[in-house]
Amino acid sequence: MRLGIDVGGTNTDAVLVAGRQEDDVRVLAAVKTPTTEDVTAGVVTAIGELLAGAPEGFTPGEIAAVMIGTTHFTNAVVAARDLTPTAVVRLGLPATTAIPPLSGWPARLRAAVGGRTYLCHGGYEYDGTELSTLDVDELRRAAADIAGRGVRSVALSSVFAPVNGTMEQEAAEILRAEVPGLRVSCSYELGRIGLLERENATVLNAALAELADRLAEALTAALAEAGIGAPLLLSQNDGTLMDIGYSRRLPAATFASGPTNSMRGAGFLSGVRDCAVVDVGGTTTDVGMLVGGFPREAPAITDIAGIRVNWRMPDVLSLGIGGGSLVRGFSDADRTTVGPDSVGFGLTSKALVFGGDTLTLTDVAVAAGQARIGTMTALVRRFDGDRARAVLAEVNERVADAVDRMRTSPDPLPVVLVGGGGVVLPDALPGLPDVRRPEHSDVANAIGAAIAEVGGELDRVVRIADGRRDHVLAEARAEAVERAEAAGARPGSVEIVEVTEVPLAYLPGGATRVRVKAVGDLDLGRVGSREPVAAPGA
């Protein structure tokens, strides 16, 4: 049995599932509780309610693993709070001086991490040859200044580190030796080709280091209090899992894991591996595409709180529409607005149907006769039903338009509706005849966390000489499989789910960027009993 939990902006969902393989997983119990300002407290509440509603005779000791998807780290970055003071050390001199680290960062986030940067010699060319030699004395001088300023975390980046991470590893050892207790995040573990965006992702990861420690300890204590001794894993933003030790090193891997969990859960519940997924929460509606059972990834460059990164992220279009969205000017067709602001996790106290004083989209759905929710339904049913249905029709058009914007082919496309706020949408959308709302759709995100697999990824620039393509790709596939198994996948269960080749015409010698992604079933016998492993995306 496995416990899946997903923490959203409005609700914290939890499910108890049984079954080893995805094709025989059964949902035994499910709950939806309001998210609290203290995320951990909401998780504790959800676990308590879930165990109380578990099948008769069930004991917490039967749970083999706990999977949690959390917005904790994303919220910290967006709000610029709970961030660890971080220094940025870039290995690139004599090159890379034109654009220094933290360029383009919002002022409040730059201030939150401290804004300390150091340019040092080092780095590689695209083919792995040295750009310049690592200068040990230079690094020691930087380390002395870092120690003197009381900085506790460092983001280390170098030119073409994904091609060769050796220099970053050596520099990290020097910095740790000079500053005992220093936390070092290396860019070769985090990003892809592209120095500035990879460096930005590394800085965010380093700034979350201490928050990751606190969250890991709080979640572990919460499970222990509930009598659950099973391994704890967190959801990553590519639809795979990482153990709690790994999450302490790479908390940035959780960014956007919520939409990813919802899409994975939607695919499992509907039995469809290629579809559009519409996830309606309390604050937003996220529209994404499921391809081969996994979320389609966003283009190379994405944005987190105004910071450009090239960390893997699901391709999601978010609309300011949710069950808690504020509705203004309801009686005037020309002035009615829906969202983007929302009552969020205050829905059950602020919405009219729950005795509050705020008109939300959930109230409009009840007034239109589309849903039966809350304790004060008679109050909102006095509203103009035709006007309520007209407001919902406008919302439907916006959602359908978002799906059309995300699709890349005119072929028929199934649409799967999930999310706790899904009651505001009907079972049909304009121009989309195949709309499905599977059982347990309101907790699809928690189910996506519970069924997640373990992944390994390779992203590297290689030289492909004439007649060597098959050999190079075979080596890349084998290394991706090894990384998945090292991350906790059961040997023999790993499959290659994606292979991408991009010839780099601007570089000589047959240079090609190769990306390979492998996934496999979680090996519960190994998770929780080993040291944190190297990053699957390294």
Side-chain angles (χ1 to χ4, degrees):
M1 294 187 183
R2 286 172 287 176
L3 179 60
I5 301 172
D6 190 271
V7 183
T10 302
N11 293 306
T12 295
D13 300 336
V15 297
L16 181 66
V17 303
R20 288 186 175 273
Q21 308 298 327
E22 187 173 317
D23 55 2
D24 68 353
V25 169
R26 306 180 309 282
V27 179
L28 304 181
V31 298
K32 182 181 291 289
T33 63
T35 294
T36 57
E37 291 190 26
D38 175 4
V39 172
T40 307
V43 170
V44 172
T45 300
I47 291 175
E49 292 191 15
L50 184 72
L51 297 183
E56 185 176 353
F58 167 81
T59 62
E62 295 179 63
I63 296 176
V66 179
M67 293 81 162
I68 297 180
T70 177
T71 59
H72 211 74
F73 300 115
T74 305
N75 294 344
V77 172
V78 172
R81 58 173 172 77
D82 296 327
L83 300 180
T84 304
T86 298
V88 188
V89 177
R90 179 193 291 175
L91 309 178
L93 291 179
T96 77
T97 60
I99 305 178
L102 304 180
S103 296
W105 276 50
R108 63 189 185 89
L109 279 169
R110 186 185 178 102
V113 300
R116 300 173 183 86
T117 64
Y118 304 84
L119 296 179
C120 301
H121 285 78
Y124 294 95
E125 300 286 0
Y126 81 95
D127 59 358
T129 58
E130 285 191 1
L131 176 66
S132 62
T133 303
L134 194 67
D135 189 327
V136 175
D137 290 336
E138 189 177 47
L139 278 172
R140 286 174 175 163
R141 289 193 296 271
D145 191 65
I146 288 170
R149 295 176 180 274
V151 176
R152 304 184 297 273
S153 187
V154 165
L156 184 59
S157 66
S158 69
V159 182
F160 279 111
V163 176
N164 190 341
T166 302
M167 201 171 291
E168 283 191 0
Q169 294 170 351
E170 294 174 354
E173 291 177 3
I174 294 170
L175 293 173
R176 293 191 188 104
E178 295 293 315
V179 187
L182 186 69
R183 304 283 291 270
V184 181
S185 294
C186 294
S187 76
Y188 79 90
E189 292 187 295
L190 275 150
R192 294 168 173 166
I193 305 299
L195 174 63
L196 298 179
E197 293 79 14
R198 170 165 41 86
E199 183 176 73
N200 288 342
T202 309
V203 177
L204 291 178
N205 188 76
L208 293 167
E210 293 179 352
L211 179 61
D213 286 341
R214 294 195 297 271
L215 181 64
E217 291 167 3
L219 292 176
T220 301
L223 295 181
E225 183 179 339
I228 301 173
L232 172 61
L233 303 106
L234 295 188
S235 300
Q236 298 191 85
N237 48 20
D238 65 346
T240 61
L241 296 167
M242 58 180 171
D243 68 18
I244 196 66
Y246 176 60
S247 72
R248 287 174 182 261
R249 287 199 305 111
L250 296 178
T254 67
F255 290 157
S257 61
T260 300
N261 284 339
S262 292
M263 284 190 272
R264 290 276 290 150
F268 166 72
L269 291 172
S270 65
V272 180
R273 295 179 62 82
D274 297 278
C275 62
V277 177
V278 177
D279 177 21
V280 189
T283 303
T284 62
T285 292
D286 296 325
V287 181
M289 305 298 293
L290 205 63
V291 181
F294 283 86
R296 185 178 72 194
E297 288 193 10
I301 307 301
T302 53
D303 183 285
I304 298 176
I307 299 171
R308 287 165 57 87
V309 300
N310 61 3
W311 182 242
R312 59 175 184 252
M313 299 281 278
D315 189 7
V316 174
L317 177 60
S318 294
L319 306 176
I321 298 172
S325 294
L326 273 61
V327 179
R328 298 183 176 89
F330 176 77
S331 59
D332 187 339
D334 294 329
R335 299 181 59 188
T336 302
T337 61
V338 177
D341 45 351
S342 167
V343 296
F345 57 76
L347 178 67
T348 55
S349 61
K350 296 182 178 180
L352 297 180
V353 290
F354 292 105
D357 58 2
T358 305
L359 180 62
T360 68
L361 194 57
T362 296
D363 298 314
V364 174
V366 173
Q370 187 167 297
R372 295 182 60 86
I373 298 175
T375 58
M376 306 291 288
T377 55
L379 174 66
V380 298
R381 290 210 168 144
R382 298 175 185 172
F383 291 1
D384 184 341
D386 290 338
R387 180 68 196 130
R389 284 184 283 274
V391 170
L392 292 181
E394 293 176 12
V395 169
N396 297 344
E397 289 283 355
R398 290 174 61 186
V399 173
D401 178 66
V403 174
D404 280 337
R405 289 165 60 188
M406 291 295 289
R407 65 192 302 168
T408 58
S409 167
D411 297 335
L413 179 70
V415 178
V416 181
L417 295 182
V418 296
V423 295
V424 304
L425 294 181
D427 291 332
L429 291 171
L432 300 168
D434 187 2
V435 177
R436 312 180 189 189
R437 195 192 305 264
E439 186 180 7
H440 300 302
S441 62
D442 59 329
V443 290
N445 46 7
I447 291 173
I451 66 168
E453 298 168 295
V454 179
E457 183 179 276
L458 177 82
D459 188 346
R460 180 174 298 164
V461 175
V462 299
R463 285 180 175 179
I464 300 183
D466 292 341
R468 296 278 296 170
R469 176 179 175 276
D470 291 345
H471 176 75
V472 171
L473 292 181
E475 287 185 339
R477 290 169 179 263
E479 187 170 343
V481 170
E482 289 175 3
R483 291 182 177 187
E485 291 179 352
R490 180 167 51 82
S493 70
V494 181
E495 298 180 352
I496 302 296
V497 297
E498 180 182 354
V499 178
T500 305
E501 299 175 67
V502 181
L504 303 179
Y506 55 88
L507 294 177
T512 301
R513 180 183 176 185
V514 175
R515 284 184 53 206
V516 181
K517 181 175 180 179
V519 298
D521 298 330
L522 177 66
D523 188 344
L524 294 173
R526 295 168 56 218
V527 174
S529 61
R530 54 188 170 79
E531 293 297 317
V533 297

